[in-house]
Amino acid sequence: MTATSPSPTVAGKPEGPLTVAVIGNPNTGKSTLFTALTGIHSRIGNYPGVTVEKKIGTFHHDHREIHLVDLPGTYSLSPRSLDEMVSVDVLLGRQADVGRIDVVICIADAANLERNLYLVSQVLDLGLPTVLILNMWDVAQSRGVQIDADQLSQKLGIPVVPCEAHRHRQIDAVKQAILTTAGRQSINPPRVFPACFYEEGRQLQAQLAEWGEPATPFYVAERMLLDVGGQIETSFLRKFSAQLPATLTAARERLKSSGFRVPAAEAKARYAWVREVLSGVMFVPQQRSVTRSDQLDQWLTHKVWGLSAFVVIMFAVFQSISTAASPLMELCEVGQQAVGGWVGSLIPPGPFQSLVVDGVIGGVGGILVFLPQICFLFLFIALLEDCGYMARAAFLMDKLMTKVGLSGKSFVPLMSSFACAIPGIMATRTIENRRDRMVTILIAPLMSCSARFPVYWLMVAAFFPDITWGGGWISLRGILIFVMTFFGAVVAVPVAWLFKKTLFKGETPPFVMELPSYKWPSPRIVLSRVYDRGKAFVVRAGTLIFATSILIWAASYFPGDHTHLYQLQEQVEQARTSLAPELAERDRLQKLQSEQSGRPEQTESLKELEQQLAATEARLEPLNKLVAERNVIAEHLLETSFLGRFGKTIEPTVRPLGWDWRIGVGVLASFPAREVIVSTLGTIYSLGNEVVATDTGLQQALRDSRRSDGRLVYSIPVALSIMVFFALCAQCVSTLMVIRRETNSWFWPLFTFTYMTTLAYVGAFAAYQLGSWLM
């Protein structure tokens, strides 16, 4: 059933596409309706100068192209910041990259219509052709709520369409209502306030025209009067700082003397209008029956059982992400190596081969390796959001997060960042409050992601003894890894508090959130959201990551002559081909040796294996010599590269941390990804770039490394210094590029890099100096 306003003017054969804005309260099914209308035909970006996501979808109906603009979920159109101002600018047609809005779709929860009509009244004040969608119609009916859509349409003067977006019911009716409404030029806004208010608004419009602002919409003047200290008033104060304050103060005083006290009067007037509109239109049972959602909430929002369920659910989610994403991430790495090897065999050795294999293919692989984690994280977020649990999770965590000035919605993005900061930062889009969202973005990289673990393990395994207690269940190395994993999170608490007190000052807004009814997630909606997030990461952030990877490759490659290195590499490959049976035999013997070690009954067998292994190694000696010579040449080329030279330049800067130039080069080379330091150190110590953190050869090389004066480079204080630095630093270009994308500004990634590098330097300095003093 679709109710339409009386005698609409239907356009004839229209020309050009329509632009339709979709707005509604959070948790009313706005995104679900957007996906039901557009499918996957959408593009995601940011509005210029703000962090607000711009999502535009396209569909066709009755031979008409329609562009759908998904505005952020909001409870009112009273902008308090630049981010909140975006919705108003879009609706007023003042957002250049969107253009004029032809129709507004205002979506409301049919079961909570009274609260939702507050926003509807503000949208109607704009005078734009509007369609009201009563979503979750089935939920309202199951609760005994009865709404006369035809009568509501007559009272509002706009089309009203009952809809069940998650079941794809009445979607065609919504499309038809859009076309029908598009033929209307405008609507008459409701008279929500007393006549004195509208008179003051017109006087303010006239005053602004005298000051050189002749085209100020009445809605802007209205919001300027109502929103004391709001974004609209702030923006006009920049132009008219001398005249405007006195004008607004006088206008508000006159309204106060007339019985209309700003700003409290707005809520009273609008809700009085809402009650009048719904009188005789909506019937709500006096005694609401206990629903399945109510029964579940008795447990899932309980202060004990609810938190217990939350911990179990979050553990299951992140364990599943780790388990499911790891094989795919390994597959990406294997695929990158396979493609790199195949392409490398087709191109003669030289700078072009290195650019393609190490720069291009390595850069693309560095992007795609994150994709499984991102997709799985957003799969679970979409499932939890669509079923209704995510709102409960935010409610449960709000009390904990408010202690550092954040809201409950910050918890899941921060928790996600322990796997990888990239999906965690992207997940902050669920946080409506700009201050909370920005602080969460800025502290998310402090959570210890999986890329830090190779660094932790290399340092711990190389310099700390393998001491265990409790029958081997508790180990010193395990304790150190645990401490380093949560070290960044502990530091993030005072950092978040400091940001809220300085950069993002303001009262923490009260936590207001609708708890939607539980329902089965829609596979189409869930998969569409996963596709959108994955595509947004690859297309937008991926290009920046790729460009940076190329720059780091160039800095580590030039200006050295790699001719001899390539000749040695060819000889190594030829030797490996001719000695393939011996290499396979060595791998088999080493595997058998590993399996039988530690068994007293296998002593004789182990001696025989060692003899066979020694004989095999003797046959492989020519290959080993070639590999060693190649690694020495690679070490020299890296040392004399632009990156190596810069590492030596900054050596005086890192010396207070206990580092030499080689550690400095490792840190610089790991800018694309933290774990790259392991392979870089392998190259520096002539072990090749194929080494991993568990390689005992690399661990021994670090222990034996000496400075020019004969002193050891590494010690326990140096190892602690390196681990603290990597726990706090911003050594991940992917994360910085995602911050650039999410904040739509280069300032915030540069700020993040600066504050985290400074924090890491201070922390590493303190760790080294304190450790040296104690030892």
Side-chain angles (χ1 to χ4, degrees):
M1 173 185 66
T2 304
T4 58
S5 57
S7 304
T9 304
V10 181
K13 187 102 180 184
E15 295 181 2
L18 291 174
T19 302
V20 179
V22 185
I23 193 168
N25 291 174
N27 296 311
T28 54
K30 181 172 59 67
S31 297
T32 303
L33 178 64
F34 182 92
T35 304
L37 289 168
T38 64
I40 62 172
H41 304 291
S42 61
R43 60 185 188 275
I44 299 176
N46 285 79
Y47 291 100
V50 293
T51 64
V52 178
E53 179 180 77
K54 177 174 68 177
K55 186 175 181 181
I56 300 178
T58 302
F59 68 96
H60 293 80
H61 184 70
D62 198 15
H63 308 291
R64 189 77 181 267
E65 183 178 341
I66 300 172
H67 299 311
L68 213 58
V69 183
D70 187 11
L71 295 176
T74 182
Y75 289 102
S76 76
L77 285 177
S78 305
R80 312 296 299 183
S81 68
L82 282 172
D83 284 10
E84 294 174 355
M85 188 67 196
V86 166
S87 294
V88 175
D89 284 338
V90 169
L91 293 171
L92 290 174
R94 303 198 301 188
Q95 197 71 42
D97 52 341
V98 174
R100 185 177 65 87
I101 297 298
D102 298 298
V103 179
V104 179
I105 293 178
C106 198
I107 185 168
D109 179 359
N112 296 291
L113 189 55
E114 183 173 350
R115 284 196 296 273
N116 285 209
L117 283 183
Y118 184 97
L119 177 62
V120 174
S121 71
Q122 291 182 321
V123 172
L124 293 178
D125 280 351
L126 293 162
L128 294 171
T130 304
V131 179
L132 175 60
I133 308 298
L134 301 181
N135 196 31
M136 295 185 269
W137 187 256
D138 53 333
V139 175
Q141 290 182 318
S142 68
R143 295 180 180 179
V145 177
Q146 298 176 16
I147 302 172
D148 188 333
D150 291 304
Q151 190 175 353
L152 180 60
S153 175
Q154 290 178 0
K155 283 194 170 187
L156 294 176
I158 60 173
V160 176
V161 184
C163 178
E164 298 171 27
H166 64 288
R167 294 181 176 176
H168 277 250
R169 293 178 180 173
Q170 292 293 95
I171 299 301
D172 284 338
V174 174
K175 294 178 179 179
Q176 190 57 48
I178 291 172
L179 290 186
T180 302
T181 308
R184 305 181 62 181
Q185 295 300 314
S186 61
I187 62 171
N188 293 320
R191 304 284 289 187
V192 176
F193 305 121
C196 62
F197 176 81
Y198 295 103
E199 180 58 32
E200 289 292 345
R202 285 189 289 270
Q203 289 182 21
L204 181 57
Q205 265 187 311
Q207 188 66 70
L208 290 170
E210 288 183 16
W211 295 341
E213 292 285 339
T216 305
F218 183 81
Y219 185 82
V220 172
E222 176 183 299
R223 295 309 331 161
M224 208 183 308
L225 288 169
L226 292 171
D227 301 332
V228 180
Q231 181 58 37
I232 293 178
E233 179 181 343
T234 302
S235 63
F236 273 85
L237 280 174
R238 296 190 188 102
K239 300 178 183 178
F240 311 113
S241 57
Q243 315 98 309
L244 188 58
T247 301
L248 288 176
T249 301
R252 289 165 182 160
E253 284 298 322
R254 288 192 294 271
L255 289 172
K256 180 180 176 181
S257 63
S258 300
F260 190 84
R261 186 185 296 269
V262 173
E266 180 181 15
K268 294 179 181 178
R270 291 197 185 279
Y271 278 118
W273 174 84
V274 169
R275 286 189 291 271
E276 180 185 343
V277 168
L278 293 180
S279 176
V281 170
M282 184 174 74
F283 169 78
V284 180
Q286 297 253 333
Q287 291 187 336
R288 182 171 165 268
S289 59
V290 178
T291 64
R292 182 181 60 179
S293 292
D294 296 331
Q295 293 171 342
L296 286 171
D297 279 340
Q298 289 179 359
W299 294 95
L300 294 179
T301 59
H302 190 273
K303 62 182 181 181
V304 175
W305 305 118
L307 283 173
S308 301
F310 174 79
V311 170
V312 171
I313 291 171
M314 288 297 107
F315 177 81
V317 165
F318 289 105
Q319 186 64 36
S320 299
I321 291 172
S322 176
T323 304
S326 293
L328 293 175
M329 294 175 73
E330 291 173 6
L331 186 63
C332 288
E333 292 175 350
V334 171
Q336 173 192 335
Q337 293 170 2
V339 172
W342 176 70
V343 172
S345 67
L346 301 177
I347 305 173
F352 182 67
Q353 183 202 60
S354 182
L355 169 63
V356 173
V357 175
D358 300 325
V360 176
I361 296 176
V364 171
I367 298 165
L368 297 181
V369 74
F370 292 109
L371 196 58
Q373 276 190 335
I374 290 171
C375 290
F376 277 109
L377 174 64
F378 280 103
L379 172 66
F380 284 109
I381 286 179
L383 287 170
L384 294 175
E385 279 184 339
D386 210 37
C387 76
Y389 180 74
M390 191 63 82
R392 276 80 180 176
F395 167 76
L396 285 168
M397 297 311 301
D398 184 62
K399 185 174 291 187
L400 172 66
M401 300 305 292
T402 50
K403 295 185 185 300
V404 292
L406 300 175
S407 76
K409 288 190 174 184
S410 298
F411 182 82
V412 171
L414 292 177
M415 190 77 173
S416 306
S417 298
F418 276 99
C420 177
I422 292 169
I425 291 168
M426 293 175 70
T428 59
R429 293 192 169 194
T430 61
I431 306 172
E432 289 89 3
N433 181 271
R434 180 181 180 274
R435 291 195 300 271
D436 289 354
R437 181 167 69 252
M438 288 299 302
V439 173
T440 306
I441 287 173
L442 294 178
I443 66 172
L446 288 171
M447 307 301 117
S448 274
C449 65
S450 56
R452 289 175 166 104
F453 280 92
V455 183
Y456 297 159
W457 182 251
L458 177 61
M459 293 297 123
V460 167
F463 300 103
F464 292 88
D466 189 14
I467 302 173
T468 61
W469 301 276
W473 286 95
I474 303 173
S475 70
L476 173 62
R477 291 177 175 178
I479 292 172
L480 287 168
I481 295 290
F482 175 83
V483 170
M484 294 312 304
T485 299
F486 290 97
F487 180 69
V490 172
V491 172
V493 173
V495 170
W497 180 86
L498 183 64
F499 285 161
K500 291 290 287 197
K501 295 295 182 182
T502 55
L503 295 175
F504 303 98
K505 287 190 290 187
E507 294 183 10
T508 300
F511 187 65
V512 179
M513 173 178 278
E514 297 275 358
L515 294 182
S517 300
Y518 292 101
K519 60 183 177 67
W520 288 106
S522 164
R524 180 179 178 183
I525 301 300
V526 169
L527 293 176
S528 174
R529 291 178 184 174
V530 173
Y531 173 81
D532 283 345
R533 296 302 171 207
K535 178 182 175 184
F537 168 72
V538 172
V539 173
R540 292 176 62 81
T543 53
L544 298 171
I545 297 168
F546 174 75
T548 308
S549 300
I550 296 294
L551 291 175
I552 294 294
W553 164 83
S556 61
Y557 185 89
F558 293 106
D561 183 359
H562 290 65
T563 305
H564 187 38
L565 179 67
Y566 295 138
Q567 292 172 350
L568 286 171
Q569 183 61 38
E570 283 189 25
Q571 294 175 30
V572 167
E573 295 302 325
Q574 291 171 2
R576 280 177 173 169
T577 301
S578 62
L579 294 171
E582 285 79 2
L583 289 169
E585 177 67 8
R586 183 181 65 179
D587 292 343
R588 185 185 70 82
L589 292 172
Q590 286 177 340
K591 183 178 180 182
L592 285 172
Q593 187 183 44
S594 176
E595 291 173 351
Q596 295 182 16
S597 61
R599 299 179 185 176
E601 69 276 9
Q602 299 288 344
T603 304
E604 292 299 323
S605 179
L606 275 171
K607 288 182 180 179
E608 185 180 344
L609 280 173
E610 288 172 359
Q611 292 173 356
Q612 293 177 14
L613 191 57
T616 304
E617 288 289 359
R619 293 194 297 273
L620 291 171
E621 184 63 22
L623 172 62
N624 294 335
K625 285 183 177 180
L626 284 171
V627 169
E629 186 180 358
R630 181 202 63 182
N631 291 343
V632 169
I633 297 297
E635 176 191 353
H636 174 73
L637 288 169
L638 179 60
E639 181 180 350
T640 56
S641 69
F642 292 129
L643 191 65
R645 294 175 185 178
F646 188 64
K648 290 188 175 183
T649 302
I650 66 168
E651 186 174 16
T653 305
V654 300
R655 195 174 292 131
L657 311 183
W659 303 359
D660 71 345
W661 72 268
R662 287 168 287 196
I663 302 175
V665 168
V667 170
L668 291 172
S670 64
F671 182 56
R674 296 178 180 92
E675 65 272 28
V676 171
I677 189 176
V678 177
S679 59
T680 304
L681 290 175
T683 300
I684 289 173
Y685 290 106
S686 303
L687 298 173
N689 59 8
E690 299 91 356
V691 297
V692 294
T694 54
D695 192 303
T696 54
L698 176 59
Q699 294 170 15
Q700 189 60 46
L702 297 183
R703 287 192 289 266
D704 296 339
S705 178
R706 293 184 179 273
R707 304 176 192 271
S708 57
D709 60 3
R711 291 182 298 117
L712 289 172
V713 173
Y714 293 89
S715 61
I716 288 179
V718 172
L720 287 172
S721 171
I722 293 172
M723 288 193 291
V724 168
F725 186 88
F726 273 84
L728 302 178
C729 71
Q731 291 296 103
C732 182
V733 68
S734 306
T735 298
L736 296 174
M737 293 304 102
V738 169
I739 293 175
R740 157 69 181 88
R741 178 184 179 277
E742 294 300 308
T743 62
N744 206 25
S745 167
W746 281 107
F747 173 80
W748 293 113
L750 291 173
F751 173 82
T752 303
F753 178 79
T754 302
Y755 103 77
M756 289 185 65
T757 302
T758 303
L759 195 63
Y761 188 92
V762 172
F765 175 81
Y768 174 69
Q769 298 297 336
L770 182 61
S772 299
W773 179 71
L774 291 174
M775 299 184 66

